[in-house]
Amino acid sequence: MNFSNIQQKNIPGLSFYGDVTDKAIDNLESSFQDLFFQSEDYELISFERQLFEEKNTKTILVKMPAAVQKISHKLPFYRAVLQEELDSENLKKVKTIRYYVDMNRVFFVQIIFEMN
């Protein structure tokens, strides 16, 4: 993956597909403190990703696996993508989660968050 300007809403080479709702982001953030939350389904998967960091903000662009595209509840996927940030206590607040699609109908997820 080698996209430019992944921190912006309009990413060259990808079409914007939609935003994740604020309620879903709130649910994701509340799950960070839930000791019983399980993301075992995605624990061993390494995702194809690209990073951009600027001041206290970090952007992750992740290629969504085809199996994840088929399920409606993607909270475990978001958690798995952010697990490294959670483990290092680097994540402060998720600002936005957006979906993108390329011309081959491959989906990507952009997660922008504030860092500690």
Side-chain angles (χ1 to χ4, degrees):
M1 263 179 27
N2 191 19
F3 294 100
S4 61
N5 301 321
I6 67 165
Q7 75 281 11
Q8 298 177 358
K9 187 169 184 175
N10 296 319
I11 301 173
L14 297 177
S15 297
F16 176 72
Y17 196 75
D19 288 311
V20 171
T21 64
D22 291 338
K23 178 68 175 164
I25 291 173
D26 290 344
N27 289 341
L28 173 64
E29 288 181 332
S30 66
S31 78
F32 295 160
Q33 286 77 38
D34 185 357
L35 298 175
F36 300 104
F37 187 88
Q38 298 294 318
S39 61
E40 293 172 356
D41 295 341
Y42 305 105
E43 237 176 317
L44 301 175
I45 297 174
S46 73
F47 302 104
E48 191 175 342
R49 65 174 64 205
Q50 190 175 336
L51 305 172
F52 178 83
E53 208 170 306
E54 182 178 59
K55 296 184 184 177
N56 292 340
T57 303
K58 190 170 190 175
T59 302
I60 302 174
L61 183 67
V62 182
K63 183 177 179 181
M64 186 184 291
V68 175
Q69 290 178 34
K70 296 175 185 173
I71 60 173
S72 59
H73 184 68
K74 294 183 175 48
L75 193 63
F77 169 68
Y78 303 144
R79 250 188 86 84
V81 168
L82 294 170
Q83 194 61 51
E84 185 179 318
E85 307 301 330
L86 291 169
D87 290 345
S88 67
E89 298 181 0
N90 195 26
L91 191 144
K92 183 177 178 182
K93 175 159 181 49
V94 176
K95 294 169 84 173
T96 188
I97 301 174
R98 296 180 180 129
Y99 286 96
Y100 294 86
V101 65
D102 71 5
M103 65 183 171
N104 298 318
R105 300 292 296 165
V106 175
F107 284 84
F108 295 82
V109 175
Q110 176 197 57
I111 302 175
I112 301 174
F113 61 91
E114 294 175 13
M115 299 183 301
N116 286 325

